[in-house]
Amino acid sequence: MRPLPYVLGAAVLAALPVATPAPAVADDSSPSSFTIEDPRITESSGLAASRAHPGVYWTHNDSSDGAYVYAVDSRTGKTVARVTLRGIGRPRDVEAISIGPDGNVYVGDIGDNLGGTWPHVWIYRFPEPKVLKDTTVTATQFTVQYQGGPRNAEAMMVHPKTGRVYIASKSDDDPGLYEAPATLSPQGTNVFRRVAGLDMEVTDGAFAPDGSRLVLRGYFSASEYRWRNGKPRPLQELKDEPGLPLQRQGESVTFTPDGGTLMYGTEGPSSKVTAVDLGGELLPDATAKKQKKDGEYSSRPDGKRQSSEAEKNGNLVKAALTFGGALVLFLGLRRLVRRRPSS
């Protein structure tokens, strides 16, 4: 016959509801914040999640660097490749980077530190390398002008389904979103036409992987939009932590490849890229559908993620084991004390 403490402990555990173990909340492949360690990257001004290399993010310096793009491993913060672009002129004010459905990396040399007076700006395009190592590639250069005249801009986004390129002007009298022709041409000039007005100062932007959401950020605020029929529909302003991290100079943003997290970047040496999970209606359509199918999370109207039943049950098991173990220890010690001979 087992001692009384074991019997009682087993009885307590048996009385608790049966539950299944919870899935791991995070693993080595889960998106998390990281710091860019490369001392050459002092003005990280754009950010794009690699489609070919999980956990890798493409970035670049703002200006005065040259025709370079860097691949940074988010697991270590170290640069795993520097790509040198040839076949283009010297970049003037590189501000944005995005990856299209064609597997190409698009680099936006679209800044205008003269306040929107340059008659044209450029976009460079090159295939995302299959192997990550320092290399030189030949890039295609596209000349860009805006409907209505020059603009200062820092946000360029390639739609992940249509491949169409969009630019958001930064801080002119009437900021707006501009759309490229259906196909960019390396000959002549590509005129971007205005498709929507904006009410914020924009330093970067990104489409969700399924194309159903667009996020635009500034130094102190960000906004998420539903993307419908080629136009943004206001959804929710993202401000204050944890919706928007406090950063010394917020310059970049991108979605993780699964669409469930936004990665916010900032300028400066050893700059930090901060991961912010999405939930509720802020989740892209495909991501929300997948999470619901997998039973991974249920969404709350406030945009925060709520544990699923499986995760709750797993936590209940942990609590039961902890309580049962403590009870066994307590009763065992009590029995031991009772058995001690009196002095």
Side-chain angles (χ1 to χ4, degrees):
M1 182 176 181
R2 290 186 178 274
L4 181 61
Y6 291 98
V7 174
L8 289 176
V12 169
L13 291 176
L16 291 169
V18 177
T20 57
V25 176
D27 56 31
D28 289 342
S29 63
S30 299
S32 59
S33 305
F34 65 95
T35 298
I36 298 175
E37 303 289 353
D38 194 331
R40 297 171 297 182
I41 305 174
T42 58
E43 293 183 307
S44 175
S45 191
L47 201 64
S50 171
R51 298 296 185 265
H53 308 284
V56 170
Y57 290 83
W58 292 97
T59 191
H60 54 81
N61 281 311
D62 188 338
S63 56
S64 304
D65 183 30
Y68 305 122
V69 178
Y70 302 83
V72 179
D73 189 334
S74 63
R75 289 156 291 202
T76 64
K78 298 184 182 300
T79 296
V80 291
R82 184 175 81 161
V83 176
T84 303
L85 308 184
R86 67 185 171 201
I88 64 174
R90 181 174 178 80
R92 188 164 51 190
D93 191 357
V94 179
E95 293 287 356
I97 190 167
S98 186
I99 298 179
D102 53 4
N104 284 315
V105 180
Y106 292 72
V107 180
D109 190 359
I110 56 175
D112 189 343
N113 291 327
L114 298 179
T117 59
W118 286 327
H120 60 263
V121 292
W122 301 289
I123 292 173
Y124 313 122
R125 185 184 70 193
F126 65 94
E128 183 173 16
K130 295 180 180 179
V131 178
L132 291 176
K133 62 179 182 178
D134 289 356
T135 187
T136 298
V137 301
T138 300
T140 303
Q141 178 171 310
F142 304 97
T143 300
V144 171
Q145 289 183 339
Y146 301 99
Q147 177 189 50
R151 297 286 185 270
N152 178 32
E154 295 188 5
M156 178 204 68
M157 301 75 62
V158 182
H159 194 275
K161 299 300 182 182
T162 67
R164 203 152 197 164
V165 184
Y166 295 83
I167 294 176
S169 61
K170 182 181 180 182
S171 55
D172 50 38
D173 293 337
D174 189 17
L177 185 68
Y178 293 81
E179 178 186 70
T183 303
L184 291 177
S185 172
Q187 286 81 37
T189 300
N190 299 272
V191 178
F192 280 54
R193 66 183 185 89
R194 185 183 177 97
V195 293
L198 300 172
D199 59 358
M200 63 178 292
E201 183 179 52
V202 181
T203 59
D204 200 17
F207 280 109
D210 68 352
S212 70
R213 299 290 189 276
L214 170 67
V215 165
L216 298 176
R217 76 156 301 170
Y219 296 122
F220 307 109
S221 66
S223 292
E224 185 165 329
Y225 303 82
R226 292 186 187 274
W227 190 258
R228 294 288 185 271
N229 301 318
K231 291 187 178 180
R233 311 294 182 189
L235 181 60
Q236 185 173 323
E237 185 178 3
L238 310 173
K239 59 181 182 178
D240 304 325
E241 295 192 279
L244 180 69
L246 181 62
Q247 297 175 311
R248 56 189 171 195
Q249 187 173 332
E251 285 282 347
S252 58
V253 66
T254 190
F255 281 85
T256 52
D258 68 356
T261 303
L262 286 174
M263 306 295 285
Y264 289 98
T266 178
E267 282 194 359
S270 299
S271 59
K272 184 176 181 180
V273 177
T274 303
V276 175
D277 286 340
L278 297 173
E281 63 181 0
L282 297 180
L283 280 170
D285 294 344
T287 307
K289 183 177 180 181
K290 185 177 186 305
Q291 289 190 0
K292 184 177 180 181
K293 179 181 178 181
D294 294 345
E296 190 175 334
Y297 290 100
S298 59
S299 358
R300 294 176 10 174
D302 59 7
K304 296 180 181 179
R305 297 207 289 194
Q306 176 174 296
S307 301
S308 65
E309 288 304 314
E311 189 173 344
K312 289 177 181 177
N313 288 340
N315 291 334
L316 185 59
V317 167
K318 293 177 183 177
L321 291 173
T322 301
F323 177 76
L327 182 60
V328 168
L329 180 61
F330 170 76
L331 293 176
L333 291 173
R334 186 177 177 182
R335 184 174 182 181
L336 180 61
V337 169
R338 286 179 174 176
R339 286 181 174 178
R340 291 178 62 186
S342 56
S343 55

